[in-house]
Amino acid sequence: MLSYPTVRASLLFLAIAVAGLFVADIAITTANPWRDLGQFFIGVATPNFFSTEGLLTALLRTVAFGFVGVALGSFFGFLLALVYRLLPVRIFCAFIRAIHELFWALIFLQFFGFHPLTGVLAIAIPYAGIFAKVYSEILEESDPEPSRLLPPGTSAIASFLYARIPDCWVQIRTYTAYRLECGLRSSAILGFVGLPTLGFYLESSFSQGMYSDAGAMLILFYVLIATMPIWVRPKLLPAYLLAAPFFLGEGFPIVWGNVERFFTEDIVPSPLRNGEGLAGLSSWLGDVMITEALPGIWNTVVLTQIALVATGLLSLLAFPLISKHFTGPVRRTSGHVFLVIARSTPEYILAYILLQLWGPSMLPAVVALALHNGGIIGHLIGRQTNTIELRPDAPAGFTRYSWELVPRVYRSFLAFLFYRWEIIMRETAILGILGIYTLGFYVDSAIQNIQFDRAMILILITASLNIGVDVLGRYIRRKLALQTMPTC
Amino acid sequence: MITKQIRKWLVSGFLTLAVATTASAQTFVFTAIPDEDETKLVERFRGIADYLSEQLEVDVRYIPVKSYAAAISAFRNNQVQLAWFGGLSGVQARALVPGSEALAQGIEDQAFYNYFIAHKSTGLERADELPEGVRGKTFTFGSKGSTSGRLIPEYHIRDRFNEAPETVFSRVGFSGNHTRTLRLVESGTYDVGALNYKVWEKELEDGNINTDDVKIIWKTPGFPNYQWTIRGDVDERFGEGFKNKVRQALLDLDDPALLESFPREGFIPASNDDYEPIRSVASELGIID
Amino acid sequence: MSGFAFNDLRASFGDKRVVGPLSLEVQQGQHVALVGKSGAGKSTLIKLLYERLTHQASLVPQGLGLVNALPVFHNVFMGQLDKHPLWYNTLTLIRPFRKDRDTVGALLNKLSISDKQWTPAASLSGGQRQRVAIARALYRNANILLADEPISALDEPMAHLVMKALTDQFSTSVIALHDVDMALAYCTRIVGIQDGRIALDQPASELQAADIMALY
C-alpha cells in the first residue's frame, strides 16, 4: 500500500493534522454545550416565521445581491477569461479571488459605507477572478477542430462565437448556475458585517438566543437554495437580472471624497503618513508581523490542515449515505437531505452557530469546515459511485466499502480534497472574525481600531497565503495526476 | 401566476427606489454603537428618532450597525450625522472628523464604571481590588472597540498585573457586547468578564440575572463614557443653528420611558475635552496612534 | 488555376516517419483517390495538403469537426463565415437570414437531410453527421476538395449520391477512400499509398479493382 503515492500523500497530511491537534486550541468551553445545542434544535423544530418584519425583505435582498453580484462577476470573469493566457491577468485573477467576499465587504464598507455597491462588489470581484479561471479552463478544453476548419479570413470573433462558445455553452451555463447558488450563500453571510441580507437578522436573533427566529431564517434559506431549479429558469433569468438591481435596498449615497481618502490616506502605513520615513516603516512592519501576522498565519495554517483532514474523513464516511451500493431509496433520500443541508449552510454560519453553542476554540471551526466541505465532497463522490456497476457477486458491507468502492473513487476524492484546500484556507482565515485567532481575527481587530493600514497589510498577507496554498495544491494534484472539475 | 409575482416584485422594487431617493434628500440620520442586544437598541433608538423628528422638524432615521467600527465609519463618511458613541469610539470618531463635537452625555456618563463579574465555579468574592485569583481563569471582553467592555478593563488588568491580558488569563475572548458578556459568564462559558454597570443593573432590575451563578467581584473607578457626537458640518446642510437645536432637544429629553430605555437619568452638556482621560488611556494601550 | 504540385511532403510522429518524403502533382480537373491500408499515411497526407492549400481547399476531415451544440444549419453556414461581416454572422447565430436558410436548405435537400436543418449536430447519427460535414465543404465552395473517408458511414445509395455531388461541384479533388469500387467509379486517378510513400499512381481508367487490392 505504501508504494502508492496517493496513499503516501494521504498519510503525510494525516500526520500533519494529528501533529496540529497537539498544538491547536481544541476545547468545548461552554458549561452546557449539549443543552444549548438541544435548545437550538428545538428552535429549528419550532420555527417562528413572523418574528422580524424584515425577514422577507432580507430574503429578497439576499437573492438580489446574489444575482447582481454573480451576474457582474460572470460578465467580467468572461472578459478576463479571453485574455487569461497573459501572465499579468492570471496573477491579477489569482489575487482578487484569494481575498474572501467578507474581506472585500469590510474594505468597501470603509468608503462606500452602506451603499448597495458594497455588497455587489464584494461578491462580484472575487467571483470574477474565479469565473475567469474556470471559464478559461472550459474554453481551453473545447474541441479545437471546428475552428481549424473555418475558412481562412474568418474573423477571430466570429470563429469564437461559432466554433468555441457553442461547444462550451452547456458547461458554462451549468457552472454559472452552480456559482449562483454559491453567490446566494455569500450574499447571506454579508449580513454578518451589516449589509441588509439574511445574515444580518440571523446574527441578531442568534446572539440573543432567539433560536426559533434563527431556525425560521435557516429553513427559509434552505428552501430558497433547494428550490432553485424551480425558480431559476433560463427564460426567467433576464427578468430577474433586470429586476434584481431594484431590490438591493436604499443604502446611502456614495461620497467620492471618502473613496479618495481611503486610498490616499487610510491605507498608507501610518509611519509614512506621519513622515517617519523608511526607518519608521520597517519597525512598524516588524511590529505587525510579530504581533499579528505570524500568530495569525500559524493559527490559520494549523486550523486549515486539521480541517482539511477532517473534511476528508467526513467525506469518506458520508458518501455511502447516498450511494446505491449501500442503501435503499428511502435511506438514500434522507442521506441526500443531510448532505444538502450540510453543504448549503455556509461554513461561516455553521461556525457561528457552533461557536455560540460550544464556546470559542478551534473545534467549532473544524467541525463547521468539515461539515460543509465534507457535505460537498461526499455528495460528489457518492454520485460518482452510482455510476459504478459492481459484479453481481461483489462482497457486501464494509468489505464492499473498503475493497470495491473506496479504491475506485480514491483518486477523485483526493482531487476534490486538494482542490478545496485553498477554499478551506480562505474560509479558515475569515472565521477569525468570529473570534478564533486566525488571520481574520487580526484583520477585524485592525478595522475595529480604525487602523486600515494594518488591516490592508494583513489582508494582503492572507491573500498571498491563499495563493501559495493554491499553487501547492495544484502542484500536488499534478504530481499525483489527479483531475477534477471545479467546486465552490 | 409567476408573471403576477414578478410584477408585484417590480412594483415594490420601484417603491424602494422611490424611498431611496427621498431618503437621501434631507434626512438626518444617526446611529449608535451596538453595545447591547439589537432588539433593545432598535426599540430605544426608534423612539429617539421619533422624538428628534418631532423636535427638529426634519426626517430623522436610525440605522443599526453590526460593529463599533461600522458606527465610526458611517459617521466619518457622513452617512450618519449624529451618533451615540462610547467614550473610546467617540474619541476615535472625533479624531477622524475635524469639527465634530461631543454634544451631550448622560448624567451617569460623567463617572461611569465597570463591573468585573465571575461565575460561581471560580469561588471568587467581591474585593476592593481586582482579585489575584482571576489569574489563569478564562476571561471575556465585550466588543473590541468598546470603552467599558475593552479599554477600561484592559487598562485595569495591565495596571494590576503589569502583564497583557493574554498572559494573565488562560483564554481571552470578545463576546461582542455587554449583554452577551453577562450571558457567557452566567452560563460558565467564561469564568470572568467585564461589563458596563448600567447593563448589569438594568438586567438585574428586570430579573434577568441568576445571581446564584454570577456575581460582581470588582467595581472599577469612574471614567467618562457615552456621549452624543455630531458632525461639524450639519449647520451647512440642515440650516444655521441646527447643531444647537439638536443639543437642546437632547438636553430637553424628559420622556421617562425613553430615558429608562438607555437607562439614563437625563442628558447634560458635554465637550470634547471631557474625554481626554479616555484618549490618553487608549493611546497608552496602543489602540489609537 | 486549381492544380497544385508539392515536393518533399513529409511528416513524422515522434521518431517514426509517417509520410514521405514524396512529391505530388495534381492537375486541374483531376479527381484523385488516395487508397491504401489504414495507417498507410492517407490522413496525414490529406492534412499536409490542407496545411499548404488552406485558402483554396474545402476539407472534410475524418473527425468531421462539427460543433455539436449548434444546429445543422449553423454547422454548414460556418463554411462561409469569412464572406460576411461580424454583425451579419452574429445575427445569423441568433436568427438566420432567409437567403441563407434557402441556400443551405437546398444543399441539405440534395443530401437528403433537409429535415434535420435545425437539429443540433450532437443528436444526429454517424451518417447524418458525415453528410453535414460534406454539406459544409460544399457550401464553402473552394476550388479544391480534400476529403478523408467522406463516405465511410453511408449506405451505398447515399454514398453514390455524395460522391457524385462532390465530384460534380469540385473541379479538382483529393479523396482518401477505402472503398476501391467507389474510387474507380468516381475518380480519374488512383494514388496508392504504402508506408507513407506512393506505391501506385495510375489513371483510374487503366486499373481494375484487383490491381489495387495488391496494396492491402
Side-chain angles (χ1 to χ4, degrees):
Chain A
M1 283 287 269
L2 278 175
S3 59
Y4 288 101
T6 47
V7 175
R8 281 209 305 266
S10 313
L11 289 178
L12 176 66
F13 273 81
L14 187 65
I16 293 173
V18 170
L21 280 177
F22 285 102
V23 294
D25 168 29
I26 299 279
I28 292 184
T29 55
T30 44
N32 283 306
W34 304 114
R35 188 192 64 193
D36 291 338
L37 196 61
Q39 276 173 353
F40 169 63
F41 280 118
I42 291 172
V44 174
T46 56
N48 171 12
F49 291 97
F50 305 100
S51 56
T52 319
E53 46 199 294
L55 191 52
L56 266 185
T57 322
L59 212 57
L60 210 58
R61 299 244 192 286
T62 306
V63 176
F65 275 105
F67 262 94
V68 179
V70 173
L72 285 180
S74 86
F75 176 75
F76 287 104
F78 188 81
L79 293 186
L80 286 168
L82 302 180
V83 285
Y84 199 72
R85 58 180 183 281
L86 304 174
L87 187 64
V89 175
R90 280 211 302 276
I91 293 174
F92 173 74
C93 290
F95 177 73
I96 58 175
R97 69 170 180 266
I99 297 178
H100 193 278
E101 299 94 270
L102 273 183
F103 282 147
W104 282 113
L106 284 173
I107 293 172
F108 288 119
L109 269 176
Q110 306 316 322
F111 53 90
F112 287 154
F114 295 101
H115 189 276
L117 211 52
T118 296
V120 167
L121 291 181
I123 297 175
I125 292 179
Y127 276 48
I130 300 168
F131 273 126
K133 174 171 166 238
V134 175
Y135 283 165
S136 86
E137 279 167 7
I138 294 176
L139 286 172
E140 242 169 55
E141 277 166 25
S142 72
D143 183 5
E145 184 82 357
S147 31
R148 276 207 288 267
L149 288 172
L150 291 174
T154 305
S155 75
I157 300 178
S159 149
F160 186 73
L161 287 180
Y162 275 78
R164 270 285 154 90
I165 291 292
D167 205 26
C168 318
W169 185 245
V170 175
Q171 262 178 297
I172 287 181
R173 212 176 57 188
T174 314
Y175 181 72
T176 311
Y178 175 60
R179 286 305 295 184
L180 185 62
E181 185 188 322
C182 307
L184 291 182
R185 288 205 292 267
S186 301
S187 171
I189 65 160
L190 288 182
F192 279 81
V193 295
L195 288 151
T197 61
L198 207 58
F200 188 97
Y201 298 95
L202 196 63
E203 203 260 356
S204 304
S205 25
F206 220 100
S207 64
Q208 298 174 50
M210 302 191 290
Y211 294 133
S212 293
D213 300 6
M217 291 172 205
L218 282 176
I219 289 172
L220 282 178
F221 186 65
Y222 295 137
V223 170
L224 185 74
I225 299 266
T227 55
M228 274 182 72
I230 300 170
W231 57 271
V232 180
R233 294 286 177 85
K235 285 214 169 101
L236 291 175
L237 268 184
Y240 287 148
L241 288 178
L242 281 177
F246 297 106
F247 290 93
L248 295 172
E250 35 213 291
F252 290 94
I254 290 175
V255 182
W256 292 101
N258 295 332
V259 182
E260 191 190 325
R261 185 204 63 213
F262 183 80
F263 287 102
T264 57
E265 292 172 31
D266 291 0
I267 60 170
V268 177
S270 67
L272 295 184
R273 225 183 311 151
N274 303 334
E276 291 167 32
L278 285 179
L281 181 68
S282 66
S283 75
W284 178 84
L285 265 180
D287 180 52
V288 175
M289 284 309 288
I290 290 168
T291 59
E292 293 167 358
L294 289 177
I297 291 173
W298 171 253
N299 286 322
T300 306
V301 170
V302 168
L303 180 50
T304 302
Q305 291 316 108
I306 297 174
L308 180 74
V309 170
T311 297
L313 294 176
L314 191 79
S315 324
L316 287 179
L317 286 178
F319 85 77
L321 291 179
I322 61 161
S323 173
K324 68 173 183 183
H325 301 296
F326 294 98
T327 55
V330 178
R331 268 192 293 168
R332 213 153 62 224
T333 307
S334 37
H336 270 297
V337 171
F338 169 72
L339 290 187
V340 163
I341 290 182
R343 69 172 193 272
S344 315
T345 320
E347 49 270 74
Y348 192 82
I349 290 180
L350 268 177
Y352 177 80
I353 293 175
L354 294 174
L355 265 167
Q356 301 296 312
L357 301 175
W358 295 345
S361 84
M362 283 189 181
L363 181 67
V366 170
V367 174
L369 289 165
L371 271 177
H372 176 78
N373 293 294
I376 293 175
I377 300 179
H379 165 77
L380 293 168
I381 297 295
R383 219 170 48 177
Q384 193 180 338
T385 62
N386 289 341
T387 63
I388 299 175
E389 286 304 328
L390 292 181
R391 63 198 152 87
D393 59 342
F398 187 70
T399 319
R400 165 178 293 197
Y401 174 80
S402 54
W403 284 81
E404 294 284 344
L405 288 172
V406 171
R408 289 184 212 204
V409 295
Y410 200 73
R411 293 182 68 80
S412 47
F413 158 74
L414 274 189
F416 284 126
L417 196 59
F418 283 121
Y419 183 86
R420 292 201 74 79
W421 193 9
E422 182 240 349
I423 300 172
I424 291 176
M425 173 163 280
R426 200 165 42 190
E427 288 291 336
T428 302
I430 207 78
L431 291 182
I433 296 180
L434 295 175
I436 304 153
Y437 289 85
T438 59
L439 280 162
F441 176 85
Y442 297 98
V443 172
D444 182 54
S445 297
I447 288 177
Q448 293 301 324
N449 290 345
I450 322 286
Q451 293 168 325
F452 302 124
D453 45 356
R454 275 174 183 257
M456 220 53 187
I457 293 279
L458 291 167
I459 287 178
L460 292 182
I461 289 174
T462 311
S464 327
L465 195 61
N466 288 337
I467 293 176
V469 164
D470 190 23
V471 170
L472 191 59
R474 234 173 313 155
Y475 170 79
I476 293 177
R477 277 186 286 155
R478 202 171 50 235
K479 200 82 183 162
L480 298 177
L482 305 170
Q483 272 194 336
T484 172
M485 270 304 286
T487 61
C488 77
Chain B
M1 173 67 188
I2 291 173
T3 46
K4 206 170 133 196
Q5 196 66 28
I6 291 173
R7 202 156 55 219
K8 220 166 76 190
W9 283 2
L10 275 176
V11 169
S12 67
F14 284 120
L15 283 182
T16 359
L17 195 71
V19 170
T21 36
T22 52
S24 60
Q26 267 324 327
T27 305
F28 183 59
V29 190
F30 74 98
T31 189
I33 48 171
D35 61 336
E36 285 183 60
D37 278 357
E38 196 168 296
T39 322
K40 295 199 188 94
L41 296 181
V42 170
E43 194 184 316
R44 176 198 302 169
F45 290 108
R46 284 216 178 132
I48 293 289
D50 292 344
Y51 169 77
L52 286 179
S53 181
E54 207 173 282
Q55 298 286 312
L56 303 171
E57 291 166 342
V58 290
D59 276 341
V60 179
R61 225 179 100 205
Y62 160 70
I63 53 157
V65 291
K66 282 284 177 202
S67 72
Y68 285 53
I72 298 172
S73 288
F75 184 77
R76 182 189 196 196
N77 291 341
N78 202 6
Q79 293 184 321
V80 304
Q81 292 79 45
L82 176 75
W84 174 245
F85 281 129
L88 174 61
S89 41
V91 165
Q92 288 171 315
R94 288 191 297 273
L96 292 168
V97 183
S100 59
E101 56 181 285
L103 269 191
Q105 59 183 351
I107 292 170
E108 295 87 334
D109 291 308
Q110 302 169 84
F112 209 81
Y113 49 91
N114 267 7
Y115 287 138
F116 276 68
I117 56 172
H119 188 250
K120 63 166 180 213
S121 65
T122 60
L124 293 167
E125 292 296 337
R126 185 157 182 167
D128 288 338
E129 59 175 2
L130 189 55
E132 177 65 31
V134 300
R135 189 182 281 281
K137 299 281 187 287
T138 59
F139 177 83
T140 184
F141 288 112
S143 168
K144 287 172 187 167
S146 167
T147 313
S148 46
R150 160 87 191 280
L151 180 75
I152 297 297
E154 177 160 352
Y155 171 77
H156 287 295
I157 291 163
R158 287 178 186 269
D159 189 48
R160 173 81 171 82
F161 296 100
N162 239 330
E163 285 171 42
E166 291 77 23
T167 53
V168 175
F169 300 106
S170 60
R171 178 192 293 280
V172 173
F174 292 89
S175 72
N177 65 43
H178 300 293
T179 328
R180 252 143 92 190
T181 300
L182 174 57
R183 297 284 157 249
L184 291 177
V185 178
E186 189 179 31
S187 68
T189 303
Y190 285 98
D191 298 327
V192 183
L195 85 170
N196 167 337
Y197 85 105
K198 276 285 177 194
V199 172
W200 173 274
E201 284 175 0
K202 182 126 191 357
E203 291 288 306
L204 193 62
E205 194 181 307
D206 295 347
N208 291 336
I209 304 179
N210 182 350
T211 44
D212 290 339
D213 285 345
V214 57
K215 60 173 66 164
I216 298 168
I217 56 169
W218 186 52
K219 174 185 156 185
T220 65
F223 55 89
N225 204 351
Y226 293 82
Q227 87 294 146
W228 289 101
T229 292
I230 195 162
R231 288 181 60 94
D233 51 11
V234 285
D235 282 0
E236 288 159 39
R237 195 161 154 194
F238 294 91
E240 205 54 48
F242 187 79
K243 190 192 291 179
N244 287 330
K245 270 168 74 184
V246 176
R247 188 197 320 255
Q248 204 51 51
L250 291 169
L251 297 180
D252 291 347
L253 179 65
D254 57 2
D255 178 350
L258 270 184
L259 285 172
E260 179 55 24
S261 71
F262 273 87
R264 294 292 187 275
E265 294 279 327
F267 291 104
I268 56 170
S271 75
N272 293 4
D273 292 341
D274 293 343
Y275 294 87
E276 179 53 29
I278 296 290
R279 203 201 59 75
S280 64
V281 169
S283 147
E284 203 176 302
L285 295 184
I287 291 174
I288 56 178
D289 294 323
Chain C
M1 250 312 283
S2 61
F4 59 85
F6 296 125
N7 290 317
D8 201 27
L9 291 165
R10 58 173 90 205
S12 306
F13 189 76
D15 288 339
K16 193 173 150 18
R17 175 63 49 87
V18 192
V19 164
L22 59 80
S23 304
L24 185 67
E25 185 181 355
V26 175
Q27 312 282 326
Q28 159 131 30
Q30 279 186 340
H31 294 296
V32 181
L34 293 182
V35 296
K37 277 199 292 209
S38 48
K42 296 177 305 224
S43 296
T44 313
L45 181 55
I46 295 269
K47 250 184 231 143
L48 284 175
L49 294 176
Y50 184 66
E51 275 164 23
R52 301 188 182 212
L53 286 168
T54 42
H55 278 271
Q56 307 167 47
S58 286
L59 175 69
V60 182
Q62 205 161 20
L64 304 179
L66 300 183
V67 180
N68 288 325
L70 284 182
V72 168
F73 170 87
H74 292 93
N75 268 293
V76 176
F77 183 78
M78 283 166 77
Q80 288 193 8
L81 279 181
D82 58 333
K83 300 223 163 54
H84 307 288
L86 181 62
W87 67 265
Y88 189 95
N89 288 335
T90 312
L91 271 184
T92 301
L93 202 54
I94 301 160
R95 194 185 150 74
F97 292 91
R98 166 165 290 278
K99 174 172 61 100
D100 298 320
R101 289 209 306 264
D102 292 347
T103 323
V104 171
L107 200 52
L108 294 175
N109 199 25
K110 198 155 111 189
L111 298 171
S112 13
I113 41 168
S114 55
D115 55 326
K116 301 285 181 196
Q117 188 164 2
W118 306 110
T119 312
S123 44
L124 298 180
S125 71
Q128 289 165 337
R129 292 170 60 82
Q130 202 158 37
R131 279 176 281 162
V132 174
I134 287 158
R136 184 185 58 208
L138 290 171
Y139 191 66
R140 165 93 192 269
N141 199 15
N143 293 327
I144 302 170
L145 170 73
L146 296 174
D148 191 357
E149 302 288 0
I151 52 170
S152 58
L154 303 180
D155 58 28
E156 204 175 322
M158 195 55 73
H160 282 286
L161 187 92
V162 164
M163 284 306 289
K164 180 154 172 29
L166 287 176
T167 45
D168 280 354
Q169 177 162 340
F170 294 97
S171 59
T172 311
S173 61
V174 178
I175 307 173
L177 282 171
H178 67 276
D179 187 321
V180 173
D181 296 326
M182 281 288 175
L184 289 172
Y186 289 96
C187 295
T188 56
R189 175 177 160 197
I190 307 290
V191 171
I193 306 287
Q194 202 165 34
D195 298 330
R197 289 168 192 271
I198 295 176
L200 170 91
D201 189 350
Q202 298 267 322
S205 52
E206 293 171 18
L207 285 171
Q208 301 290 323
D211 303 331
I212 302 171
M213 289 320 283
L215 290 168
Y216 288 87

